[in-house]
mmCIF file with all atom_site columns, all heavy atoms in Angstrom:
data_model
loop_
_atom_site.group_PDB
_atom_site.id
_atom_site.type_symbol
_atom_site.label_atom_id
_atom_site.label_alt_id
_atom_site.label_comp_id
_atom_site.label_asym_id
_atom_site.label_entity_id
_atom_site.label_seq_id
_atom_site.pdbx_PDB_ins_code
_atom_site.Cartn_x
_atom_site.Cartn_y
_atom_site.Cartn_z
_atom_site.occupancy
_atom_site.B_iso_or_equiv
_atom_site.pdbx_formal_charge
_atom_site.auth_seq_id
_atom_site.auth_comp_id
_atom_site.auth_asym_id
_atom_site.auth_atom_id
_atom_site.pdbx_PDB_model_num
ATOM 1  N N   . GLU A 1 51 ? -41.189 63.206 -128.746 1.00 93.00 ? 114 GLU A N   1
ATOM 2  C CA  . GLU A 1 51 ? -42.136 62.895 -127.681 1.00 93.00 ? 114 GLU A CA  1
ATOM 3  C C   . GLU A 1 51 ? -42.361 61.394 -127.589 1.00 93.00 ? 114 GLU A C   1
ATOM 4  O O   . GLU A 1 51 ? -42.947 60.907 -126.637 1.00 93.00 ? 114 GLU A O   1
ATOM 5  C CB  . GLU A 1 51 ? -43.468 63.606 -127.933 1.00 93.00 ? 114 GLU A CB  1
ATOM 6  C CG  . GLU A 1 51 ? -43.352 65.115 -127.920 1.00 93.00 ? 114 GLU A CG  1
ATOM 7  C CD  . GLU A 1 51 ? -44.607 65.801 -128.405 1.00 93.00 ? 114 GLU A CD  1
ATOM 8  O OE1 . GLU A 1 51 ? -45.697 65.174 -128.364 1.00 93.00 ? 114 GLU A OE1 1
ATOM 9  O OE2 . GLU A 1 51 ? -44.507 66.967 -128.825 1.00 93.00 ? 114 GLU A OE2 1
ATOM 10 N N   . ARG A 1 52 ? -41.923 60.688 -128.623 1.00 93.00 ? 115 ARG A N   1
ATOM 11 C CA  . ARG A 1 52 ? -42.066 59.234 -128.678 1.00 93.00 ? 115 ARG A CA  1
ATOM 12 C C   . ARG A 1 52 ? -40.865 58.674 -129.406 1.00 93.00 ? 115 ARG A C   1
ATOM 13 O O   . ARG A 1 52 ? -40.424 59.233 -130.402 1.00 93.00 ? 115 ARG A O   1
ATOM 14 C CB  . ARG A 1 52 ? -43.342 58.875 -129.442 1.00 93.00 ? 115 ARG A CB  1
ATOM 15 C CG  . ARG A 1 52 ? -43.646 57.406 -129.423 1.00 93.00 ? 115 ARG A CG  1
ATOM 16 C CD  . ARG A 1 52 ? -44.783 57.080 -130.388 1.00 93.00 ? 115 ARG A CD  1
ATOM 17 N NE  . ARG A 1 52 ? -45.252 55.723 -130.244 1.00 93.00 ? 115 ARG A NE  1
ATOM 18 C CZ  . ARG A 1 52 ? -44.578 54.638 -130.572 1.00 93.00 ? 115 ARG A CZ  1
ATOM 19 N NH1 . ARG A 1 52 ? -43.365 54.730 -131.059 1.00 93.00 ? 115 ARG A NH1 1
ATOM 20 N NH2 . ARG A 1 52 ? -45.100 53.439 -130.414 1.00 93.00 ? 115 ARG A NH2 1
ATOM 21 N N   . ARG A 1 53 ? -40.328 57.563 -128.896 1.00 91.00 ? 116 ARG A N   1
ATOM 22 C CA  . ARG A 1 53 ? -39.218 56.924 -129.585 1.00 91.00 ? 116 ARG A CA  1
ATOM 23 C C   . ARG A 1 53 ? -39.734 55.714 -130.351 1.00 91.00 ? 116 ARG A C   1
ATOM 24 O O   . ARG A 1 53 ? -40.777 55.149 -130.024 1.00 91.00 ? 116 ARG A O   1
ATOM 25 C CB  . ARG A 1 53 ? -38.110 56.532 -128.624 1.00 91.00 ? 116 ARG A CB  1
ATOM 26 C CG  . ARG A 1 53 ? -38.494 55.476 -127.630 1.00 91.00 ? 116 ARG A CG  1
ATOM 27 C CD  . ARG A 1 53 ? -37.323 55.205 -126.686 1.00 91.00 ? 116 ARG A CD  1
ATOM 28 N NE  . ARG A 1 53 ? -37.743 54.284 -125.658 1.00 91.00 ? 116 ARG A NE  1
ATOM 29 C CZ  . ARG A 1 53 ? -37.652 52.966 -125.753 1.00 91.00 ? 116 ARG A CZ  1
ATOM 30 N NH1 . ARG A 1 53 ? -37.149 52.414 -126.820 1.00 91.00 ? 116 ARG A NH1 1
ATOM 31 N NH2 . ARG A 1 53 ? -38.065 52.205 -124.770 1.00 91.00 ? 116 ARG A NH2 1
ATOM 32 N N   . LEU A 1 54 ? -38.995 55.333 -131.364 1.00 94.00 ? 117 LEU A N   1
ATOM 33 C CA  . LEU A 1 54 ? -39.343 54.170 -132.172 1.00 94.00 ? 117 LEU A CA  1
ATOM 34 C C   . LEU A 1 54 ? -38.603 52.949 -131.652 1.00 94.00 ? 117 LEU A C   1
ATOM 35 O O   . LEU A 1 54 ? -37.420 53.038 -131.319 1.00 94.00 ? 117 LEU A O   1
ATOM 36 C CB  . LEU A 1 54 ? -38.931 54.396 -133.628 1.00 94.00 ? 117 LEU A CB  1
ATOM 37 C CG  . LEU A 1 54 ? -39.621 55.519 -134.372 1.00 94.00 ? 117 LEU A CG  1
ATOM 38 C CD1 . LEU A 1 54 ? -38.938 55.749 -135.714 1.00 94.00 ? 117 LEU A CD1 1
ATOM 39 C CD2 . LEU A 1 54 ? -41.090 55.219 -134.574 1.00 94.00 ? 117 LEU A CD2 1
ATOM 40 N N   . ASP A 1 55 ? -39.288 51.807 -131.630 1.00 94.00 ? 118 ASP A N   1
ATOM 41 C CA  . ASP A 1 55 ? -38.537 50.580 -131.366 1.00 94.00 ? 118 ASP A CA  1
ATOM 42 C C   . ASP A 1 55 ? -37.913 50.143 -132.691 1.00 94.00 ? 118 ASP A C   1
ATOM 43 O O   . ASP A 1 55 ? -38.123 50.767 -133.735 1.00 94.00 ? 118 ASP A O   1
ATOM 44 C CB  . ASP A 1 55 ? -39.395 49.501 -130.709 1.00 94.00 ? 118 ASP A CB  1
ATOM 45 C CG  . ASP A 1 55 ? -40.487 48.915 -131.606 1.00 94.00 ? 118 ASP A CG  1
ATOM 46 O OD1 . ASP A 1 55 ? -40.338 48.902 -132.848 1.00 94.00 ? 118 ASP A OD1 1
ATOM 47 O OD2 . ASP A 1 55 ? -41.495 48.441 -131.063 1.00 94.00 ? 118 ASP A OD2 1
ATOM 48 N N   . VAL A 1 56 ? -37.129 49.110 -132.664 1.00 95.00 ? 119 VAL A N   1
ATOM 49 C CA  . VAL A 1 56 ? -36.379 48.690 -133.857 1.00 95.00 ? 119 VAL A CA  1
ATOM 50 C C   . VAL A 1 56 ? -37.305 48.353 -135.018 1.00 95.00 ? 119 VAL A C   1
ATOM 51 O O   . VAL A 1 56 ? -37.072 48.784 -136.158 1.00 95.00 ? 119 VAL A O   1
ATOM 52 C CB  . VAL A 1 56 ? -35.461 47.486 -133.532 1.00 95.00 ? 119 VAL A CB  1
ATOM 53 C CG1 . VAL A 1 56 ? -34.826 46.931 -134.786 1.00 95.00 ? 119 VAL A CG1 1
ATOM 54 C CG2 . VAL A 1 56 ? -34.399 47.881 -132.532 1.00 95.00 ? 119 VAL A CG2 1
ATOM 55 N N   . ILE A 1 57 ? -38.346 47.611 -134.759 1.00 97.00 ? 120 ILE A N   1
ATOM 56 C CA  . ILE A 1 57 ? -39.271 47.219 -135.830 1.00 97.00 ? 120 ILE A CA  1
ATOM 57 C C   . ILE A 1 57 ? -39.980 48.447 -136.397 1.00 97.00 ? 120 ILE A C   1
ATOM 58 O O   . ILE A 1 57 ? -40.120 48.585 -137.614 1.00 97.00 ? 120 ILE A O   1
ATOM 59 C CB  . ILE A 1 57 ? -40.301 46.182 -135.314 1.00 97.00 ? 120 ILE A CB  1
ATOM 60 C CG1 . ILE A 1 57 ? -39.602 44.951 -134.744 1.00 97.00 ? 120 ILE A CG1 1
ATOM 61 C CG2 . ILE A 1 57 ? -41.286 45.807 -136.415 1.00 97.00 ? 120 ILE A CG2 1
ATOM 62 C CD1 . ILE A 1 57 ? -38.642 44.259 -135.694 1.00 97.00 ? 120 ILE A CD1 1
ATOM 63 N N   . GLU A 1 58 ? -40.414 49.361 -135.536 1.00 97.00 ? 121 GLU A N   1
ATOM 64 C CA  . GLU A 1 58 ? -41.058 50.586 -136.009 1.00 97.00 ? 121 GLU A CA  1
ATOM 65 C C   . GLU A 1 58 ? -40.092 51.406 -136.856 1.00 97.00 ? 121 GLU A C   1
ATOM 66 O O   . GLU A 1 58 ? -40.489 51.952 -137.887 1.00 97.00 ? 121 GLU A O   1
ATOM 67 C CB  . GLU A 1 58 ? -41.537 51.434 -134.827 1.00 97.00 ? 121 GLU A CB  1
ATOM 68 C CG  . GLU A 1 58 ? -42.714 50.847 -134.092 1.00 97.00 ? 121 GLU A CG  1
ATOM 69 C CD  . GLU A 1 58 ? -43.033 51.596 -132.814 1.00 97.00 ? 121 GLU A CD  1
ATOM 70 O OE1 . GLU A 1 58 ? -42.088 52.093 -132.150 1.00 97.00 ? 121 GLU A OE1 1
ATOM 71 O OE2 . GLU A 1 58 ? -44.227 51.671 -132.466 1.00 97.00 ? 121 GLU A OE2 1
ATOM 72 N N   . PHE A 1 59 ? -38.829 51.476 -136.435 1.00 97.00 ? 122 PHE A N   1
ATOM 73 C CA  . PHE A 1 59 ? -37.830 52.215 -137.194 1.00 97.00 ? 122 PHE A CA  1
ATOM 74 C C   . PHE A 1 59 ? -37.657 51.628 -138.591 1.00 97.00 ? 122 PHE A C   1
ATOM 75 O O   . PHE A 1 59 ? -37.646 52.357 -139.587 1.00 97.00 ? 122 PHE A O   1
ATOM 76 C CB  . PHE A 1 59 ? -36.495 52.227 -136.448 1.00 97.00 ? 122 PHE A CB  1
ATOM 77 C CG  . PHE A 1 59 ? -35.355 52.785 -137.243 1.00 97.00 ? 122 PHE A CG  1
ATOM 78 C CD1 . PHE A 1 59 ? -35.327 54.122 -137.612 1.00 97.00 ? 122 PHE A CD1 1
ATOM 79 C CD2 . PHE A 1 59 ? -34.310 51.973 -137.642 1.00 97.00 ? 122 PHE A CD2 1
ATOM 80 C CE1 . PHE A 1 59 ? -34.274 54.642 -138.357 1.00 97.00 ? 122 PHE A CE1 1
ATOM 81 C CE2 . PHE A 1 59 ? -33.259 52.477 -138.372 1.00 97.00 ? 122 PHE A CE2 1
ATOM 82 C CZ  . PHE A 1 59 ? -33.234 53.817 -138.732 1.00 97.00 ? 122 PHE A CZ  1
#
Side-chain angles (χ1 to χ4, degrees):
E114 297 170 22
R115 186 190 189 291
R116 65 182 175 90
L117 296 171
D118 68 27
V119 172
I120 303 304
E121 289 172 326
F122 171 66

